[in-house]
Amino acid sequence: MNFKSSGIKSAMALTLAAALGLTAGCSGSSNGNTASSPDSSATGSADSAGSNHFKLWLGWSQTVNNNSWIQQLWRDEEPGVDVQLEATQGDAQTALNLKMNTGGFEDAAIFGRNQVVDDAMKRSKLIQPLEQYFNMPDKYPSLAAIPKEYLEPMKDADGHIWSIPSYFDLDPSNPWPSWSTSAFYIRTDILKKVGMTEKDLTTLQGVETYLEKAAQVKDESGKPLLPLGILMDANDETTVLAAFGVPVASAGGVIPIKKAGDTFIFEYDDPGFKEAYKWMNSMYRKGLLDPEALTDKKERYVEKDKSGRYAMNIGSFWNLDASLWEQLDGPTGPGWYYEPIPFPQVNGVSQPGTTQVINPYPGYDTYISKNTKNLDAILKFYDYTLEPKPEQSQVLGEGPAGKYWDWVDQPLGKWKYIDPKYAELRNSGDPAKKAQVAPDIWQTSTYSNQWYAWWTNVDDSQHAGFKKTAEFSQEIAKFGATRVAEDYDMVKAKAGGVWEKYSPELTNVYKEYRAKLVMAKDDAAFEKAWNDFTSALETRAHWSELKQEWNELYQAMQ
């Protein structure tokens, strides 16, 4: 992909230009996608590949049951395609390298949008260009309806498009804000027990006071509470960084960026970065931060959450585990008392760092093997998953309305499950039982601000706590750390460039010194760890070179 988009504003300009020049009618005229057809030696013909089945390799780990109820619907009803899924075991990029070095995948592969993956796919010469199929509205109307502003930046120098984009907003001019999950989470029962209110937590000092008091409280087993939990294995410490004004999110770009006037501030260069780690180190030394925060895996962390060991958690509620409250009907467990609070005020910080960038652009790409014998089945399936309707992701994942679920009042309103057995398995919380009914590949579809399934579900089989997750997300979106994507959020690595070369080492350096900074035994040790960190950024990760290339790539986008 050659990402030359200059962000949302440019996307809207492209939309207007496309609208003025759009010609309705026969195949070949949709969206103005007039790139030359690929070399016939590099790809098969969709017309000559009339099978009704294919294998889809998922670029992530997932529990798979290829005889799920929904997959049977795909096969026997609409769209009439038998889709067999294959999940990735272990690291996705390692699995990709192994797969491509041993002949490639059989039919199709879907990965989260990633320049390194995209470059590897194209270098392998095992995939086929697809631009001609976005110009066939008679045969593949949904592919032809993909907004031009998503497709244009995907074209290479020869006009080829090498993947089918998915998980994008149907209307980039009015994007859905998505899930906002990163926040400070307090236990309201503990807050009450220590004689404080949420108003007392508006400053960082107030948060520290709460943690100090919570450390004196014992849980049901008689053990002193762990005042603060952070799952650093899942990078939840970035929420602390955001409280100190550090940007921690991008829209697929190589590094989080903050713009201050005409200046771009990189994540590791932000003054708040060091101050945030000073604070976490202080919490660690005072015994207020769980000493296992740096070593716990999610399973262990969630186990502590469920048993009520923490008085406060910082990070994403997905890592905290939303099932803590979703499986409850009232105050019968610690999870019921969790509430997100606004970012506490930090001295010298006027605005939290960005934790989420609203990005309507595609989040996933599906590549098709040049050797597949099932091209038409693949294209037919994606023409179904990408049908431009707000509810299409729901139809894809749960079946058509009236089968296992239905509208409560009117289309695009509230909905609920109507098949008790389906609902029981779907909402069990057991990955194997869930996979028995639905494969959960929303990544192949789209979304819309007009309607979102999990904010409108009123199913009788859901526990009372289920609605809390959507309520939390909508509340967190108002905390000042969410914004719409800008062009500097979308700067991608270039093939063979320094970002592609040194990005893995940049991650390694950060993770290595993250632990040293948090666990430093005193101020002197912290300063030494900080100096060693900034030195390693240069000597091992080539930080100055990375920033120089970023500026060059950004200027090329203008």
Side-chain angles (χ1 to χ4, degrees), residues 349-371:
V349 177
S350 60
Q351 177 74 22
T354 302
T355 60
Q356 180 185 344
V357 176
I358 300 172
N359 177 18
Y361 282 78
Y364 289 82
D365 289 284
T366 296
Y367 303 88
I368 300 179
S369 169
K370 71 175 185 179
N371 297 316

Side-chain angles (χ1 to χ4, degrees), residues 54-60 84 86 88 96 99-100 104-112 117 121 127 130 162-166 364-369 372 378 382 444:
F54 74 97
K55 292 182 179 179
L56 178 61
W57 179 36
L58 310 177
W60 55 86
Q84 297 293 295
E86 175 191 354
T88 293
L96 172 63
K99 182 84 75 171
M100 303 313 279
F105 50 89
E106 187 170 337
D107 293 312
I110 180 171
F111 279 78
V117 170
M121 288 287 189
I127 61 172
L130 305 171
W162 295 91
S163 64
I164 299 174
S166 60
Y364 289 82
D365 289 284
T366 296
Y367 303 88
I368 300 179
S369 169
T372 182
I378 300 169
Y382 274 87
T444 64

Side-chain angles (χ1 to χ4, degrees), residues 86-102:
E86 175 191 354
T88 293
Q89 304 299 321
D91 179 70
Q93 291 198 15
T94 300
L96 172 63
N97 290 333
L98 179 62
K99 182 84 75 171
M100 303 313 279
N101 287 328
T102 53

Side-chain angles (χ1 to χ4, degrees), residues 521-548:
K521 64 180 181 179
D522 52 34
D523 290 347
F526 179 87
E527 286 300 321
K528 182 180 185 306
W530 177 258
N531 291 332
D532 290 347
F533 170 60
T534 55
S535 176
L537 283 177
E538 286 295 340
T539 58
R540 289 168 50 186
H542 300 256
W543 184 230
S544 293
E545 292 178 50
L546 291 172
K547 291 188 288 184
Q548 179 180 343

Side-chain angles (χ1 to χ4, degrees), residues 494-507:
K494 71 175 181 180
V498 292
W499 275 101
E500 185 178 277
K501 184 176 181 180
Y502 296 120
S503 183
E505 186 61 16
L506 181 65
T507 299

Side-chain angles (χ1 to χ4, degrees), residues 155-192:
K155 291 180 178 178
D156 66 12
D158 298 319
H160 295 319
I161 296 175
W162 295 91
S163 64
I164 299 174
S166 60
Y167 201 61
F168 53 78
D169 200 301
L170 290 174
D171 183 1
S173 67
N174 182 31
W176 174 61
S178 189
W179 289 94
S180 296
T181 70
S182 297
F184 285 55
Y185 293 88
I186 51 97
R187 288 256 307 275
T188 57
D189 57 333
I190 304 300
L191 189 66
K192 182 178 180 180

